[in-house]
Amino acid sequence: MAIGERFTSMMQRPGQDPNAKDDVSWWMKYAGRGLGTIGGLIAIFLGVWNCAFILLGSIMCFISGIWQMVVGFIVVMIEAPCCCLFIDFVQNLSDFVEKKPYWMRGLAYCLMALPSILLCSGINSIIGSGLIFATGGVYGLMSIGKKGALGQRSAAMETQAPSSSMQSTLVENAQPMDYSSKPDSNV
């Protein structure tokens, strides 16, 4: 058993199918899950820090901090339900989101991260919500899928492109522009 297979078997969720049904690499899945978990926890911490700006009279930063804490908690509930064992519905919510395509999760994370940055564009909002936005970007990349091996990609490029030379044309009997005659001025 390879190290990658051993690692994925240890990190499986309970009741998860051991054979992946999508073509996303294992390290990309755990990168998204890890970035979401750590980014959500940092977003919660920086959201609390952002709420402290109410002392300076910034209501928008206070609302931004509350939004960032809520979004950070939602992301942590989805990505690491083991961190929220004290809430009953967390595992059901996480399983529901796991069944959705990656592009939906990526879009949701990106859209949830934007209001905090738009309300208060301080460094706390940019870092906290930026990590959640980056998690959405990782899930967006996961929705694209896995690339083929280098040999497969070069073979596919050779079969798709008719010719790689600069002299190739779409129509074989077309003449170059410099050989065409000038229009008659008598007309």
Side-chain angles (χ1 to χ4, degrees), residues 1 15 20 24 32-33 41 46 60 62 64 73 76 90 97 99 121-123 126 134 136 146 150-151 156 171 177 187:
M1 180 183 274
V24 178
R33 191 169 293 279
L41 293 172
L46 292 176
M60 293 307 239
F62 179 72
S64 169
F73 185 68
V76 169
V90 170
V97 173
K99 293 176 186 172
S121 59
I123 192 74
I126 291 172
K146 188 176 181 181
L150 183 59
V171 181
M177 291 296 288
V187 179

Side-chain angles (χ1 to χ4, degrees), residues 49-153:
W49 191 257
N50 223 6
C51 286
F53 284 112
I54 191 69
L55 298 174
L56 300 175
S58 178
I59 301 293
M60 293 307 239
C61 285
F62 179 72
I63 294 170
S64 169
I66 290 175
W67 179 265
Q68 188 172 332
M69 287 188 297
V70 169
V71 169
F73 185 68
I74 290 171
V75 170
V76 169
M77 279 191 327
I78 291 171
E79 297 299 328
C82 61
C83 293
C84 305
L85 290 175
F86 54 89
I87 302 174
D88 295 340
F89 65 90
V90 170
Q91 188 64 41
N92 294 335
L93 174 69
S94 179
D95 291 339
F96 174 75
V97 173
E98 282 290 320
K99 293 176 186 172
K100 300 295 177 193
Y102 290 129
W103 69 267
M104 285 180 143
R105 192 184 312 184
L107 182 67
Y109 286 170
C110 289
L111 290 178
M112 287 191 306
L114 286 178
S116 179
I117 295 172
L118 296 176
L119 288 172
C120 179
S121 59
I123 192 74
N124 295 333
S125 297
I126 291 172
I127 291 174
S129 293
L131 289 171
I132 294 173
F133 193 88
T135 304
V138 168
Y139 279 110
L141 289 174
M142 287 169 62
S143 70
I144 293 172
K146 188 176 181 181
K147 289 184 183 179
L150 183 59
Q152 293 173 345
R153 287 186 292 200

